[in-house]
Amino acid sequence: MCGIVGYIGKRKAYPILIKGLHRLEYRGYDSAGVALINEQGQLNVYKAKGKVSELEAFCSTKDIDGTIGIAHTRWATHGEPNTANAHPHYSESERLAIIHNGIIENYAVLKAGLMEQGYTFKSDTDTEVLVQLVEYTQINRHVDLKTAVQLALQQVVGAYAIAILDKTHPDTLIAARKGSPLVVGIGEEEYFLASDATPIVEYTDQVIYIEDEEVVVIHPVTGNPSPVTVTTINNVTKTPEIKRLELSLSQLEKGGYPHFMLKEIFEQPRTLTDSMRGRVNVRQDNIALSGFIDNKDRFLNAKRIIITACGTSWHAGLIAMYAIEEFAQIPVEVEYSSEFRYRKPVINKDDVVIAISQSGETADTLAAIQLAKSKGAFIFSICNVVGASIPRVSDSGCYTHVGPEIGVASTKAFTAQVTALTMLALCIGREKGTIDKEKFVSIVRELGQIPSKIERVLGEDKRISDFAKIFSYAQNFIYLGRGYNFPVALEGALKLKEISYIHAEGYPAAEMKHGPIALISQEMPVVVVAPRCGTYEKVVSNIQEIKARKGRVIAVVTEGDELVRKIADYCIEVPATEECLTPLLTVIPLQLLAYHIAVVKGCDVDQPRNLAKSVTVE
Ligand code: AGP
């Protein structure tokens, strides 16, 4: 997820663009850039690795004149975070400059075609391919820039929000979107473009929300009755609807949610769609993970897979253990990185070590894979930050592509990690022939349904916030689950602990009889993750054992489960799905329960006490 901003009007563009980038930094911050057309008609592009402040320092000695410009703060998806890959990108002739938020899935095919035409590239990004395609189209089809943008976007598969400048037309700003957001701000003789309204709100409350596959041309010249025109990429004219902004700046950064954590919980249908984009192909019943494809033999010859992670990422690793052993039949060990790095583990050259880390900077996990690498193991990382330390040390990996996770409590990164690891398990199993085709196809098709099924679970938010009011008194919670949902119980407990400061423990449900059942009382709520799959009947027995001792049970159940509804005190329903995918649904109510209890208790949900988003020290 990147941030784009554009300006054309009566004022100097640079200050407005830089301030806009600061407003958008929560969307991504590994590099930034700005393009300006000055009074002499020169198109100046300045870029810097790091935060927007790095770009400002770089621009302090540059020609930043001009009343039209575009700017970008990046969250890398294709290509390491560096100056070359930062946006804006010039076209070959340096007549055009483009910024882009999104992922162009077919960029490789488009790039190959342009290279055959003699085009060269300065970056590894999909975005540079797009600006070259626009220029190539304009030259070879003898059309204006708007038409070239329309024709080029007709060839694009994927998601985009773009803005493009042409130094030969310094009075025109063109933008378009599909799958990534784009807002136009209408000021007094000035116009704004941005990924969301945060860079715009201080200048105007009049906005146009651009819809998918629409192209907007802003051409505010004297005598032009329509300075803002909108068409589709197929050149069908649209009538833009001007709306009034009603959200404050702070609310806007959180997408209208009170906290980043809640925003990120509700983002999960989209972030999982982004995470599976270009990988899960439901129409072809296929999964393509480039990190696996390029290293098949290492996985197929692995005698053992070691998973190393911390916290929530470790819980994702536990779920992966169930999936990899079930579908790929390779023994898996899941290690806390902090223990693994110091306990003098036995590591062999034919081991595959999977590191899971949202930040890619967790010190213990980084040290764990450096140890494993020194012993010849193959390192594969599941990470959310392109170019972070852990992916850089790894031999290969899979990025989760969920955009910056701002809330300290991990939510959207966790479901993306589980999804990536499930895809990996399925790919290995299919290559090894240890998963039958029907099962593989069924799970792939279900993966395609997961975003909409999460959407349905999010519909339970109001009921869950009501439960939170009932249970916020509790000093202790127990979370129970079995099989794939045992790690979900651990994750639910961790979510509650870290943001509401209520003590909570997760256990395999069957473990109750080995001690914890002595704790059961009316004062200690028990959350049981009980989807109708796997050892469901045994979980039902566990619930009955708790009820027999006057325990209070909140159960997460499969839609239509009348049996548990009769014995549990409260039920939250999730849609049915493949057993290995149930964690993607059952974790959602637990994320929401922890969130709402923390809010009722007045806790600092996004920045809980004593915690940091990334534990970069031991
Ligand atoms: C999860 O909600 C916590 N914030 C924490 O446990 C986190 O998962 C852990 O520190 C690992 O972080 P990483 O995924 O960035 O390596």
Side-chain angles (χ1 to χ4, degrees):
M1 183 166 75
C2 305
I4 70 171
V5 59
Y7 176 83
I8 181 169
K10 59 191 177 187
R11 289 188 275 180
K12 295 296 181 191
Y14 177 78
I16 293 170
L17 295 171
I18 289 297
K19 194 171 186 182
L21 289 186
H22 280 299
R23 296 265 190 253
L24 292 174
E25 263 188 317
Y26 74 90
R27 299 176 62 86
Y29 40 73
D30 61 45
S31 54
V34 62
L36 300 153
I37 302 176
N38 67 15
E39 299 303 316
Q40 293 71 41
Q42 290 163 333
L43 175 57
N44 294 313
V45 173
Y46 307 123
K47 310 195 276 192
K49 182 179 177 182
K51 290 185 178 271
V52 174
S53 53
E54 300 293 328
L55 175 66
E56 279 183 284
F58 181 75
C59 291
S60 59
T61 58
K62 305 294 183 189
D63 170 3
I64 53 171
D65 185 27
T67 60
I68 177 173
I70 56 178
H72 182 276
T73 181
R74 187 170 184 240
W75 182 265
T77 56
H78 291 80
E80 296 290 299
N82 57 31
T83 307
N85 289 332
H87 303 203
H89 289 284
Y90 274 123
S91 62
E92 182 109 320
S93 66
E94 299 198 351
R95 174 171 60 86
L96 306 177
I98 194 172
I99 54 176
H100 167 224
N101 171 31
I103 295 179
I104 296 176
E105 292 171 33
N106 61 335
Y107 83 99
V109 170
L110 297 172
K111 184 170 185 175
L114 289 163
M115 291 175 79
E116 282 169 14
Q117 301 297 327
Y119 278 80
T120 58
F121 293 84
K122 299 181 178 64
S123 79
D124 305 324
T125 66
D126 52 346
T127 306
E128 190 185 10
V129 172
L130 182 54
V131 72
Q132 304 286 41
L133 181 63
V134 169
E135 178 159 276
Y136 170 77
T137 304
Q138 194 172 5
I139 294 168
N140 289 275
R141 303 282 292 272
H142 311 294
V143 294
D144 64 13
L145 183 59
K146 183 191 83 169
T147 308
V149 168
Q150 290 170 330
L151 295 171
L153 293 178
Q154 289 170 19
Q155 301 174 58
V156 161
V157 176
Y160 54 80
I162 62 168
I164 190 163
L165 291 182
D166 178 344
K167 70 179 181 181
T168 60
H169 290 77
D171 51 10
T172 304
L173 190 51
I174 295 182
R177 70 151 285 184
K178 179 184 177 185
S180 298
L182 183 65
V183 185
V184 174
I186 314 290
E188 291 295 321
E189 298 173 56
E190 58 184 4
Y191 299 84
F192 309 82
L193 281 173
S195 298
D196 61 38
T198 48
I200 296 172
V201 65
E202 65 183 278
Y203 304 108
T204 177
D205 63 0
Q206 303 298 301
V207 295
I208 298 170
Y209 291 98
I210 303 300
E211 300 297 337
D212 275 356
E213 296 197 346
E214 287 186 349
V215 179
V216 55
V217 177
I218 304 175
H219 182 54
V221 294
T222 310
N224 181 358
S226 306
V228 179
T229 54
V230 178
T231 65
T232 67
I233 59 171
N234 298 308
N235 205 31
V236 173
T237 301
K238 308 285 282 192
T239 306
E241 184 188 351
I242 297 180
K243 294 183 176 174
R244 199 167 73 78
L245 264 182
E246 292 169 358
L247 289 174
S248 69
L249 179 60
S250 165
Q251 286 171 317
L252 281 165
E253 281 178 334
K254 298 182 182 87
Y257 291 98
H259 298 99
F260 278 111
M261 182 180 176
L262 190 61
K263 173 174 175 263
E264 288 156 14
I265 290 171
F266 274 79
E267 275 182 338
Q268 290 176 107
R270 178 184 61 75
T271 51
L272 281 188
T273 301
D274 288 347
S275 209
M276 291 190 276
R277 192 188 302 279
R279 293 167 169 166
V280 173
N281 186 325
V282 175
R283 280 193 305 278
Q284 296 174 3
D285 291 331
N286 192 24
I287 295 176
L289 269 186
S290 55
F292 167 74
I293 294 167
D294 300 342
N295 303 282
K296 263 183 211 171
D297 292 346
R298 291 308 297 252
F299 287 98
L300 301 182
N301 301 328
K303 297 282 185 302
R304 173 179 62 159
I305 290 179
I306 300 168
I307 296 176
T308 184
C310 302
T312 286
S313 299
W314 186 83
H315 296 150
L318 273 185
I319 293 169
M321 175 183 73
Y322 286 85
I324 294 170
E325 294 206 350
E326 177 179 1
F327 302 129
Q329 294 174 16
I330 299 174
V332 177
E333 293 168 21
V334 184
E335 298 270 1
Y336 281 115
S337 300
S338 55
E339 287 299 307
F340 184 65
R341 67 180 289 196
Y342 287 120
R343 67 173 183 75
K344 300 180 180 50
V346 174
I347 302 170
N348 306 312
K349 288 192 180 346
D350 55 6
D351 283 340
V352 167
V353 175
I354 298 177
I356 307 169
S357 177
Q358 187 285 129
S359 63
E361 299 297 348
T362 296
D364 284 324
T365 304
L366 179 58
I369 58 173
Q370 286 167 330
L371 168 67
K373 197 176 177 84
S374 71
K375 294 184 181 292
F378 177 76
I379 313 299
F380 187 89
S381 59
I382 308 280
C383 185
N384 190 41
V385 180
V386 176
S389 302
I390 288 172
R392 281 208 311 274
V393 166
S394 302
D395 297 301
S396 183
C398 169
Y399 285 118
T400 47
H401 290 322
V402 296
E405 187 175 65
I406 309 296
V408 165
S410 186
T411 50
K412 63 178 183 174
F414 172 73
T415 47
Q417 289 166 347
V418 171
T419 302
L421 289 156
T422 303
M423 290 192 283
L424 179 62
L426 292 169
C427 287
I428 302 171
R430 181 184 54 188
E431 284 301 319
K432 289 188 67 180
T434 47
I435 180 173
D436 63 54
K437 182 161 176 47
E438 295 68 37
K439 186 68 172 172
F440 179 88
V441 168
S442 171
I443 297 173
V444 170
R445 290 179 181 172
E446 261 305 302
L447 271 171
Q449 297 296 315
I450 288 296
S452 59
K453 290 188 172 183
I454 289 178
E455 206 70 74
R456 281 161 53 187
V457 183
L458 292 170
E460 295 275 286
D461 181 46
K462 175 65 177 68
R463 286 185 68 233
I464 295 168
S465 69
D466 292 342
F467 294 167
K469 296 182 183 72
I470 298 169
F471 289 103
S472 57
Y473 72 87
Q475 301 296 309
N476 299 284
F477 269 75
I478 278 196
Y479 285 70
L480 303 176
R482 280 180 183 248
Y484 282 94
N485 285 284
F486 158 48
V488 175
L490 297 176
E491 173 59 12
L494 175 61
K495 290 282 90 62
L496 186 70
K497 274 184 275 200
E498 65 175 328
I499 63 173
S500 74
Y501 317 142
I502 293 174
H503 173 248
E505 289 187 69
Y507 275 100
E511 270 301 291
M512 283 300 287
K513 295 189 287 297
H514 302 278
I517 201 164
L519 293 171
I520 297 301
S521 75
Q522 288 209 337
E523 286 64 54
M524 184 184 68
V526 181
V527 178
V528 185
V529 187
R532 196 162 36 218
C533 60
T535 51
Y536 166 75
E537 291 73 18
K538 299 193 182 308
V539 177
V540 172
S541 303
N542 297 143
I543 295 173
Q544 287 165 328
E545 290 155 10
I546 293 161
K547 290 303 298 170
R549 292 160 177 83
K550 307 256 185 291
R552 298 177 74 190
V553 174
I554 302 169
V556 179
V557 299
T558 302
E559 279 170 354
D561 183 334
E562 291 308 321
L563 174 57
V564 176
R565 182 175 296 285
K566 291 192 182 78
I567 51 178
D569 298 274
Y570 303 89
C571 279
I572 304 161
E573 293 192 335
V574 300
T577 187
E578 286 282 346
E579 181 181 4
C580 66
L581 302 181
T582 53
L584 296 171
L585 302 180
T586 57
V587 77
I588 306 297
L590 307 190
Q591 295 171 343
L592 290 169
L593 182 65
Y595 169 79
H596 286 297
I597 289 176
V599 168
V600 168
K601 292 192 66 178
C603 297
D604 184 348
V605 171
D606 283 333
Q607 295 174 337
R609 69 187 183 199
N610 310 336
L611 285 172
K613 185 57 188 171
S614 175
V615 182
T616 56
V617 294
E618 286 194 49

